[in-house]
Amino acid sequence: MKNGLMPQAMWRCFQGSFMREMYRMSKENPRKVMAKARKCYQNILVDIPEFEKGDPFLTNILSAAMLASVYLELEEKPNLEQVTDFYHHAMTNNMIMKCFLKLGSKYTPKAQAKLKRQGEESVRRSERNPYTWCFRYETGRNINCYSAIFTHCGILYLLKLLDIPEICPAMCTYDYDMAELSGSTFIRKFTLAGGEPCCDCHWTRKS
């Protein structure tokens, strides 16, 4: 993947909050860690193929590459609880992220038709690019709820290649925060990172 507009924008958007929250998992100098991590981030992206136009998961893999680069550059590796605490605060305490999650709604016929189409397209895309996701959309009992069943996760694939799959749950649990910020209730019983055959994700709009 080229270090183009989106990868650079992702780094610039979150480097401040990553630096600010670094103390949650390390006593190292945040500026020095981020300086080293940026080079690592760029190196990670080199091995990731370009995402196809319209693939909704580009920001997900960039976020994973960013967290992975920081983790890899820490001299003393934090435990999962520390990584989770860091990632949740670094992402949530970011104005751009807050604004993004409040934009739009998935609880309209048009939005869910788009999700269904993306799910169908994801089957073909994941065959060509293992760094993206494969899922199927399922309708709920009404327009205020829906599900997505993921059978392949680009984040888990990347972290396994980097030999750090142990930090994947830190990103998995952030789904609950994203749902909360966007006015939804999120439920999941299984995860691919936990060794199960799928991630069964269910969203319901809060009244």
Side-chain angles (χ1 to χ4, degrees), residues 151-165:
T151 54
H152 179 77
C153 171
I155 289 175
L156 183 58
Y157 181 81
L158 171 64
L159 298 181
K160 281 184 175 180
L161 287 180
L162 295 174
D163 201 26
I164 51 171

Side-chain angles (χ1 to χ4, degrees), residues 28-96:
E28 295 179 47
N29 185 299
R31 290 188 180 276
K32 290 183 178 180
V33 173
M34 292 304 289
K36 292 187 294 181
R38 182 160 193 176
K39 294 180 181 179
C40 182
Y41 173 73
Q42 293 169 343
N43 289 334
I44 290 172
L45 296 184
V46 168
D47 294 325
I48 299 175
E50 294 292 335
F51 272 44
E52 297 177 24
K53 184 178 180 181
D55 192 322
F57 297 106
L58 175 57
T59 55
N60 299 58
I61 202 67
L62 292 176
S63 181
M66 193 167 179
L67 177 62
S69 67
V70 172
Y71 181 79
L72 287 169
E73 291 302 331
L74 292 174
E75 294 180 7
E76 184 177 343
K77 298 296 184 276
N79 59 40
L80 178 58
E81 184 178 351
Q82 290 171 309
V83 178
T84 301
D85 186 48
F86 161 77
Y87 187 71
H88 284 217
H89 283 87
M91 297 299 287
T92 302
N93 296 333
N94 182 288
M95 189 57 66
I96 295 174

Side-chain angles (χ1 to χ4, degrees), residues 7 15 68 72 103 106 117 119 135 155 163 166 197:
Q15 65 175 340
L72 287 169
L103 291 174
K106 300 295 186 184
R117 185 175 67 253
F135 76 98
I155 289 175
D163 201 26
E166 66 272 13

Side-chain angles (χ1 to χ4, degrees), residues 101 174-186 203 206:
L101 291 173
Y174 189 63
D175 289 335
Y176 293 89
D177 287 4
M178 288 195 294
E180 181 68 26
L181 289 169
S182 60
S184 300
T185 298
F186 180 75
W203 291 267
K206 290 185 177 181

